[in-house]
Amino acid sequence: MIDRAGLAGFLRRRRESLQPDDVGLPRGQRRRTAGLRREEVAALCHMSTDYYSRLERERGPQPSEQMIAAIAQGLHLSLDERDHLFRLAGHHPPLRGGVAEHVSPGMLRVLDRLDDTPAEIVTELGETLRQTRLGVALTGDTTSFTGPFRSISYRWFADPSSRALYAPEDHDFLSRMWASGLREVLGRRGRDSRAAYLADLLLADSEEFRAVWDEHEVGLRPQGVKHFVHPELGRLDLTCQTLLDPEQSHALLVYTAAPGSESHEKLQLLSVIGAQALT
C-alpha cells in the first residue's frame, strides 16, 4: 500500500536538501525556497509540475514504478534512498547490480560538471543512461534507443549504420571487443541474464557475430585512443578516461583530446555547433 504521508514528507525533505548546483542547474537570484523548487524537480524528473506537486500534497493516483524511478534519479537519491522511495509508493525496489539503471548521486555530480566535455554513463552492456551536451553532439542521442538496440554491442552487429561513427580500421577489433565483453557479462550474470538474451538474438541473426563468438575471446579492452568519425567534423582522435561504479556496474566515459591537436580544435568547434549540422 502507498504511504502518502510518508511519500510526501520524504519528497519534500529531499527536495529541500538539494541546491541547484547539486544537480547541474544555475542558481539564479532571489531564491526564496529552501532547496529546489517543485518545478525544477519536475523538470529533472521529466514530468509535469502539477503531477509532482500533487505527490508532495498527498494527492493524485499511485505513481507507477517508472515514475518513481524517474523521481529517484531526478532527486539524485542513493540506492538506499531509492529503495525507500519505492516502498513508500507501494512498490518493490528494483534489483541492484548488473541490470540496475539508477545512476549513483556521486557519478551524476561528476557528469553535471562536464558540460564542456563529451561524456556518457553506460551500463556493463553498453547501454547509455546519461550523456552530456557534447556527448550527444559527438555520438548522437544514444539514450533514445529501445529494446535490444539500447546496447552498443547489439547495435554493432544488428545495424551496420552504427559503425559509421568509428574509423574503418578499428571495425574488426571493435567486433571482437563487443563480443568479448558480452561473453564476460554473460559469464558473470548467467543464462537468465539480459546478456544471454542479446547473445542469443545475435547468434540467430548475425553470421558475423557467430564467427566472432566462436573464437571465445575474453579480456579485450578498449584502446587508449578512440577514433571517431563525426559527420560534420570528420575524424577525431580522443582519449577515453573511465570512472567505474562497482556497486551498479556503471562506467562514466570522458572523452578528451591532446591540447593543440587537430582533434582538440575540432572539439572546441563541436562545443559551438553542438548537435546542429554545419551549414
Side-chain angles (χ1 to χ4, degrees):
M1 294 291 292
I2 183 173
D3 179 354
R4 292 193 178 277
L7 178 64
F10 184 68
L11 291 177
R12 282 195 301 270
R13 178 62 65 184
R14 290 298 302 136
R15 174 174 61 82
E16 292 169 356
S17 69
L18 289 172
Q19 298 301 317
D21 47 357
D22 293 330
V23 294
L25 294 176
R27 169 165 288 278
Q29 298 181 359
R30 298 184 179 180
R31 297 189 66 88
R32 299 177 181 177
T33 304
L36 297 180
R37 302 185 179 100
R38 288 192 180 95
E39 58 266 27
E40 291 172 327
V41 171
L44 290 169
C45 301
H46 306 288
M47 61 185 60
S48 71
T49 302
D50 177 68
Y51 183 91
Y52 177 80
S53 298
R54 282 187 291 165
L55 293 179
E56 283 202 6
R57 293 175 177 137
E58 305 180 29
R59 297 161 55 189
Q62 180 183 23
S64 67
E65 294 183 11
Q66 290 77 13
M67 282 294 195
I68 291 299
I71 293 171
Q73 196 68 88
L75 288 173
H76 285 36
L77 300 186
S78 69
L79 283 175
D80 289 336
E81 290 170 332
R82 180 206 65 175
D83 291 352
H84 180 62
L85 182 66
F86 266 82
R87 295 186 183 100
L88 288 174
H91 299 297
H92 293 295
L95 296 175
R96 301 190 185 193
V99 299
E101 299 187 0
H102 181 82
V103 182
S104 71
M107 190 165 278
L108 281 177
R109 285 193 293 270
V110 175
L111 187 75
D112 289 339
R113 285 157 175 77
L114 296 174
D115 185 61
D116 60 346
T117 305
E120 60 182 339
I121 296 174
V122 300
T123 70
E124 62 185 3
L125 291 174
E127 301 158 322
T128 304
L129 302 178
R130 291 288 189 279
Q131 290 174 285
T132 61
R133 177 181 61 89
L134 279 188
V136 175
L138 176 65
T139 65
D141 182 5
T142 51
T143 66
S144 63
F145 290 103
T146 60
F149 283 93
R150 293 186 60 206
S151 169
I152 190 172
S153 301
Y154 183 84
R155 292 198 304 274
W156 184 262
F157 294 99
D159 178 13
S161 67
S162 66
R163 304 187 180 194
L165 183 62
Y166 300 90
E169 64 267 25
D170 292 338
H171 287 188
D172 288 344
F173 172 78
L174 290 173
S175 294
R176 294 166 55 212
M177 187 189 73
W178 296 133
S180 166
L182 189 58
R183 183 181 293 280
E184 289 184 47
V185 177
L186 192 159
R188 286 196 301 271
R189 305 302 176 188
R191 286 302 313 174
D192 294 330
S193 66
R194 194 154 63 196
Y197 169 69
L198 294 177
D200 288 343
L201 287 178
L202 290 173
L203 286 169
D205 297 335
S206 171
E207 181 179 353
E208 180 190 7
F209 180 79
R210 288 194 295 270
V212 179
W213 190 255
D214 284 344
E215 295 299 320
H216 289 267
E217 289 187 291
V218 294
L220 296 184
R221 295 294 179 262
Q223 298 169 334
V225 177
K226 293 191 175 185
H227 309 294
F228 291 95
V229 182
H230 189 271
E232 302 295 334
L233 301 178
R235 178 166 173 144
L236 292 92
D237 300 325
L238 304 179
T239 299
C240 180
Q241 301 293 333
T242 304
L243 175 65
L244 296 176
D245 178 357
E247 187 172 8
Q248 287 291 78
S249 297
H250 295 162
L252 170 61
L253 309 180
V254 183
Y255 302 101
T256 61
S261 66
E262 182 180 355
S263 293
H264 186 261
E265 295 176 357
K266 289 181 177 180
L267 273 187
Q268 291 179 314
L269 182 56
L270 187 66
S271 70
V272 175
I273 66 173
Q276 302 297 318
L278 289 175
T279 58

